Amino acid sequence: MTSERSTTGKTRRVGGVLAAALCALALTACGTEGAREAAAGAAMAATPTASPTPTAARPDPMDDPGLTVEEHRDALAFMRLVTEVAAPCEGSSKGLPAGSPSMQPPPRPGDSGVPVPVEDLPPLGDTSWNFERVRQEVELGDTEKCAALRHGSRIAKALDGSGDPTAAHVEKALAEIGYNLPYRLHGPEEAGGRVRFTLDLRGGELCLDGAYDGTRTTFDPYGVHPAVYCTDVKRRG
């Protein structure tokens, strides 16, 4: 009798130990699987998503049928501003403002200073779409170079020494002098103690990169094909 009880007790203890061991193995497996899943998720999150290459010309926001009356009004006001600023430049260099601001490239993060080779734009008769070709920088004419100086002068007058280099401050200052259309103003963004922004001033091909450091504003004008955004362009250097 005693032997049977002893054997039964041993069997129960062995069974309990085996059960505990199986549970421990299961938990370890689950933990390992969870760690693998977490690692896989982290790897996926760390992998950047490539921006798709446009398969057609960028749409003009003015062609959006959903624009409200107010948005149409704001767009027309912006185009009036662009036209008025450029008007004194037409066919003459007399429109250059006195004390023109510094038109030099603001420092760009990761810029090696090595010029980027550029292809010629397709001829006007070539209607095939090639994003890599139409995103090349376009040479500005004299009128638009003059207009760039005039826009820069207006912005520098509003910004220089006006306050700390914060995105909110720059956006407010630009809005007060008429540069307040969301699809015409890219940024402003704070980086390296400066606020950087890009203005789409195209009635023709003019775009303008700007940077404000709390004291002074610098500008870099360049030409952009109408089928792409200012931020799409591949700069020459």
Side-chain angles (χ1 to χ4, degrees):
M1 201 68 168
T2 302
S3 177
E4 288 178 4
R5 287 177 184 170
S6 176
T7 303
T8 303
K10 287 178 182 177
T11 303
R12 286 174 180 168
R13 284 197 297 275
V14 171
V17 170
L18 285 172
L22 288 171
C23 285
L25 284 171
L27 287 171
T28 302
C30 289
T32 303
E33 188 62 27
R36 285 176 183 162
E37 290 177 0
M44 289 177 66
T47 304
T49 303
S51 299
T53 300
T55 56
R58 299 290 201 183
D60 185 340
M62 278 292 289
D63 294 335
D64 183 354
L67 288 182
T68 64
V69 173
E70 291 77 13
E71 287 168 333
H72 272 292
R73 181 196 61 208
D74 292 344
L76 290 173
F78 190 93
M79 286 310 301
R80 276 197 300 271
L81 170 64
V82 168
T83 303
E84 288 168 6
V85 169
C89 299
E90 295 291 339
S92 171
S93 60
K94 294 179 181 179
L96 293 175
S100 297
S102 174
M103 288 292 178
Q104 62 187 34
R108 285 179 276 176
D111 189 353
S112 65
V114 179
V116 178
V118 224
E119 300 177 36
D120 292 333
L121 285 173
L124 293 177
D126 183 359
T127 57
S128 60
W129 172 256
N130 184 321
F131 178 66
E132 284 305 314
R133 295 187 72 187
V134 296
R135 70 187 289 240
Q136 304 299 324
E137 182 176 347
V138 177
E139 185 67 32
L140 289 173
D142 290 341
T143 297
E144 291 198 310
K145 288 177 183 177
C146 168
L149 287 168
R150 293 180 61 80
H151 283 291
S153 183
R154 294 183 81 245
I155 295 167
K157 184 177 179 181
L159 266 181
D160 286 4
S162 63
D164 293 334
T166 65
H169 173 68
V170 170
E171 185 171 11
K172 182 174 183 290
L174 291 173
E176 286 174 351
I177 56 174
Y179 302 100
N180 55 349
L181 279 189
Y183 54 84
R184 291 283 194 165
L185 173 62
H186 303 277
E189 295 178 349
E190 298 173 29
R194 294 168 175 260
V195 179
R196 303 172 188 278
F197 57 91
T198 296
L199 278 168
D200 182 346
L201 300 168
R202 285 178 294 182
E205 296 166 333
L206 175 62
C207 291
L208 191 71
D209 282 348
Y212 172 64
D213 63 7
T215 303
R216 183 167 169 264
T217 315
T218 54
F219 301 93
D220 184 18
Y222 52 99
V224 179
H225 192 282
V228 296
Y229 297 149
C230 293
T231 49
D232 286 332
V233 73
K234 182 185 285 186
R235 301 299 308 277
R236 289 177 177 164

